[in-house]
Amino acid sequence: SKPPGSATVEMRAELSSPRRESPLRARTFTSTQAVASYDAAGAVSAFDRAVHDVLDQLLQWIEQSTR
């Protein structure tokens, strides 16, 4: 049978300084997670995992960028 699909979350973030007009750094973060079941709960769970993954990537990038 065909799998239920996937959930994708994409976020673009910029690090900027009040003294500069252009961003210091910019990056796009993406996460795609498999949907485990053909119902709303399966979709919500996949989006939840994707959002958490993107936020983890963002936090790691901020930590590395501000050292």
Side-chain angles (χ1 to χ4, degrees), residues 41-65:
V44 168
S45 176
F47 274 109
D48 183 60
R49 291 191 315 276
V51 166
H52 279 88
D53 184 40
V54 164
L55 291 176
D56 286 344
Q57 292 175 50
L58 173 65
L59 290 174
Q60 190 173 35
W61 178 66
I62 291 170
E63 288 174 356
Q64 292 172 352
S65 297

Side-chain angles (χ1 to χ4, degrees), residues 6 12 14 16 19-20 25 27-28 30 32 35 37 39-40 48 52 54-58 61-62 64 66-67:
S6 61
R12 178 169 168 75
E14 295 180 351
S16 59
R19 298 182 195 132
R20 294 185 62 181
R25 292 180 180 204
R27 184 169 164 195
T28 300
T30 305
T32 300
V35 175
S37 58
D39 57 9
D48 183 60
H52 279 88
V54 164
L55 291 176
D56 286 344
Q57 292 175 50
L58 173 65
W61 178 66
I62 291 170
Q64 292 172 352
T66 57
R67 287 185 186 161

